[in-house]
Amino acid sequence: MSVPRIDPASGNRAMPASQRAEPDLYESHPILINALMGHVELPQEIWEPAAGKRAIVDVLEAGGHSVLATDKFDHGASGIITGQDFLAERPIAHPRCIVTNPPFNIAPQFVERALDVADVSYFLLRMQFVNRGTSRHLMKHMTGFFPFAPRPPRMHADGWEGPRAGGTGDYAWFRFSRHTTGICDCRPIYWRDYVQAPTPTLTPDLFEKETA
């Protein structure tokens, strides 16, 4: 009998990647996409090939970008072209920039595919991606490494109804460029800088009275 691994930081059961069933959906927190948009200059047209329930798509569109949203699975969200397996097919015409949070189990395959079909791509990944045996062929095309500081809000599996844990994983945006090798921009993202504070209600007590 196998004993479930417990995340020491949150006390929650941690499902091994090998036991995750497709579609392995972990929706990205909007703050993390806002942070990327504020940290780098993204092109106008973007392709999100693992669009899920539009977590990344909605933030990009709100920021003025035109997004082609595709996914292998139908998660019930509108405006997504479903049944499109990114690893096996692509639209006839598509943007040359990719922004996505790929399924953890097949993240290296997503990166390799992106190098074939896009000029530049941004992947939201755990920082351990750099030491999980990923081939040198892929890593030599990494032109940007933007780790979050401090740890960002945790992403939970779609449909998870258990306790909501805080940040227990180290994440970063990785940038891969098809036509560039050997040069990597490494800058931390202080994601809290991109959290919009609520606008206070303007009441008379917020203003100082002028003295005569």
Side-chain angles (χ1 to χ4, degrees):
M1 177 179 178
S2 61
V3 178
R5 184 170 64 87
I6 303 298
D7 186 325
S10 65
N12 295 337
R13 292 188 176 188
M15 182 182 295
S18 60
Q19 295 181 16
R20 295 176 185 165
E22 289 189 311
D24 194 23
L25 176 62
Y26 285 71
E27 289 287 87
S28 309
H29 197 290
I31 292 174
L32 307 186
I33 299 90
N34 275 328
L36 176 67
M37 293 168 60
H39 203 66
V40 301
E41 184 175 352
L42 296 173
Q44 172 63 28
E45 297 184 345
I46 295 173
W47 180 10
E48 216 300 34
K53 294 184 176 180
R54 299 182 56 92
I56 291 178
V57 175
D58 286 343
V59 179
L60 290 174
E61 289 184 344
H65 295 278
S66 175
V67 183
L68 171 64
T70 64
D71 202 296
K72 181 179 180 180
F73 303 96
D74 185 353
H75 300 283
S78 62
I80 296 176
I81 303 173
T82 59
Q84 293 285 322
D85 185 352
F86 177 64
L87 300 181
E89 54 195 341
R90 59 174 164 171
I92 296 176
H94 60 82
R96 306 302 294 179
C97 175
I98 287 173
V99 177
T100 191
N101 174 8
F104 181 83
N105 280 347
I106 52 176
Q109 292 93 315
F110 257 65
V111 173
E112 185 161 12
R113 177 64 169 166
L115 289 172
D116 287 337
V117 301
D119 293 330
V120 62
S121 53
Y122 293 86
F123 285 86
L124 180 59
L125 300 166
R126 285 185 176 271
M127 288 173 58
Q128 68 194 58
F129 182 81
V130 299
N131 60 8
R132 63 175 296 193
T134 304
S135 73
R136 180 178 296 184
H137 164 69
L138 300 183
M139 299 308 293
K140 73 178 183 181
H141 289 280
M142 187 176 76
T143 59
F145 176 64
F146 311 119
F148 289 104
R151 284 177 171 175
R154 181 168 182 166
M155 291 179 284
H156 293 82
D158 183 51
W160 172 256
E161 297 180 353
R164 292 282 171 173
T168 58
D170 295 311
Y171 290 88
W173 280 105
F174 290 70
R175 181 177 64 206
F176 294 89
S177 299
R178 181 179 184 180
H179 304 294
T180 305
T181 61
I183 301 175
C184 184
D185 177 14
C186 180
R187 289 175 290 143
I189 298 179
Y190 299 98
W191 60 269
R192 286 176 177 164
D193 292 346
Y194 301 95
V195 179
Q196 295 183 353
T199 303
T201 303
L202 296 179
T203 57
D205 57 290
L206 292 179
F207 297 89
E208 294 184 358
K209 293 182 179 180
E210 294 185 2
T211 57

